[in-house]
Amino acid sequence: MAYAFVCFPAFAQVTISCSSPSWGVAARPRRLLPAVRCASSAPEAVAHETDLFDLKRYMAEKARRVDDSLDRALPLRHPERLLASMRYSLLAPGKRVRPVLTLAACELVGGEESTAMPFACAVEMLHVMSLVHDDLPCIDNDELRRGRPSNHVVFGEGVAVMAGDALHCFAFAHAAEATAGVPPMRVLRAVAELGKATGAEGLLAGQVVDIECEGKEVGLEVLEYIHLHKTARLLEAAVACGGIIGGAEEEEVERLRRYGRTVGLLFQVVDDVLDVTRTSEELGKTAGKDLAKGKTTYPKLMGLEKARLLAEELAAKAEEELQGFDRNRARPLRHLARFIAHRHN
């Protein structure tokens, strides 16, 4: 599959500014993307290496091992209703993109899958926590998740809240206790990475701003702040943690971080496109809910076609960050970026 940089002058230089006092946050503007080069008709402008890689098989095998690890990590025990609620959402069918990114990043820098598996499971626990809470009536009020009733529909709102809280706590305990054969300082650094990614500097910050902006007209900077925190920050941490546990050098961790951040934003752009182009049955969750709630999305802000072009740009940028790594070891991350750009649910 070939990718080309596209002409996108209106959004050729994206900066992230989070200085609005009404959000209660402050951060220096940071550039996510460089200026975009326009594609020409010359073959060299659109050429891309063709490398054979069975991503479907790779993801299925990694997801199966992640699922097995999650099942073993969280057996059904007392209090059974709480644990059943946690397992209901944690073991629901899913692509396991985030934990697969953690494992792929670890292996990219020469680490072993087994050493990164506890953090891969922790990343999935934190992601599922966010889904359980996101679906609650007080937030997005969605009754469908991963093709079946949301947690609160099955177990009630109170248990769903506590199941999400319990998953949040257990993720850190599991990562710290189950990781073996890794220097303690690396484990500590990766635990801190996940904490920042899910707290007031990351996922929850994006979630709060998203709620505050419902029904309001917002621009590209605010939209990107929301999604760089609500969606991209955990994907960024998933990749960075894999690199840290695998023994990556500092410069390698930063490149992996940039890759994860770009892929995270790509994930959200594609999610926004799918929300208006696919059915609930295809998505496994309620389609069109963002527009129905008055939320700003990339297609709403810039149009469907430009949103798709932005996704292509982000996929190419993510692949750029992998240059310099071993080509064979980088293949899973390279193809995962393409998969995220062209997924259908």
Side-chain angles (χ1 to χ4, degrees), residues 90-239:
L90 186 62
L91 300 179
K95 296 180 285 293
R96 310 297 186 223
V97 170
R98 290 157 186 82
V100 171
L101 284 169
T102 302
L103 299 177
C106 179
E107 293 175 327
L108 171 66
V109 298
E112 298 292 331
E113 177 189 288
S114 59
T115 62
M117 185 60 78
F119 272 89
C121 290
V123 166
E124 185 67 8
M125 292 172 192
L126 293 170
H127 173 55
V128 170
M129 170 276 295
S130 74
L131 301 182
V132 171
H133 285 175
D134 201 45
D135 290 337
L136 290 168
C138 61
I139 302 182
D140 270 0
N141 194 24
D142 201 326
E143 297 187 350
L144 186 66
R145 175 65 66 178
R146 288 180 167 174
R148 58 185 190 172
S150 299
N151 194 294
H152 69 274
V153 174
V154 177
F155 293 93
E157 291 180 38
V159 172
V161 170
M162 288 181 280
D165 291 346
L167 283 169
H168 198 171
C169 297
F170 186 63
F172 294 99
H174 181 69
E177 291 178 350
T179 302
V182 179
M185 286 306 298
R186 277 197 223 158
V187 178
L188 182 61
R189 181 181 177 188
V191 166
E193 182 76 33
L194 288 182
K196 288 186 287 187
T198 53
E201 298 178 39
L203 188 153
L204 294 181
Q207 183 73 288
V208 167
V209 177
D210 188 31
I211 292 172
E212 290 181 350
C213 290
E214 282 186 16
K216 299 177 183 177
E217 293 294 328
V218 302
L220 183 63
E221 284 189 358
V222 176
L223 184 62
E224 285 190 342
Y225 177 87
I226 291 170
H227 294 316
L228 280 172
H229 291 75
K230 181 179 176 181
T231 302
R233 188 64 183 87
L234 185 56
L235 280 144
E236 176 185 328
V239 180

Side-chain angles (χ1 to χ4, degrees), residues 234-300:
L234 185 56
L235 280 144
E236 176 185 328
V239 180
C241 283
I244 292 167
I245 294 299
E249 300 292 336
E250 187 62 34
E251 189 271 339
E252 292 176 322
V253 172
E254 289 310 307
R255 283 159 58 198
L256 286 170
R257 186 186 301 284
R258 291 193 299 270
Y259 165 89
R261 185 185 311 144
T262 307
V263 162
L265 188 57
L266 166 65
F267 197 97
Q268 187 60 55
V269 173
V270 174
D271 219 43
D272 284 359
V273 170
L274 293 176
D275 191 57
V276 296
T277 60
R278 299 284 171 172
T279 66
S280 298
E281 290 73 22
E282 290 172 316
L283 295 177
K285 59 183 180 179
T286 306
K289 67 175 184 178
D290 288 341
L291 291 179
K293 291 177 68 69
K295 292 187 177 183
T296 299
T297 65
Y298 283 94
K300 180 180 178 181

Side-chain angles (χ1 to χ4, degrees), residues 68-89:
D68 289 345
S69 297
L70 290 170
D71 189 25
R72 290 194 302 270
L74 194 67
L76 186 62
R77 57 184 185 269
H78 183 75
E80 288 190 4
R81 186 163 178 80
L82 175 62
L83 271 294
S85 176
M86 295 167 69
R87 286 174 58 86
Y88 175 82
S89 292

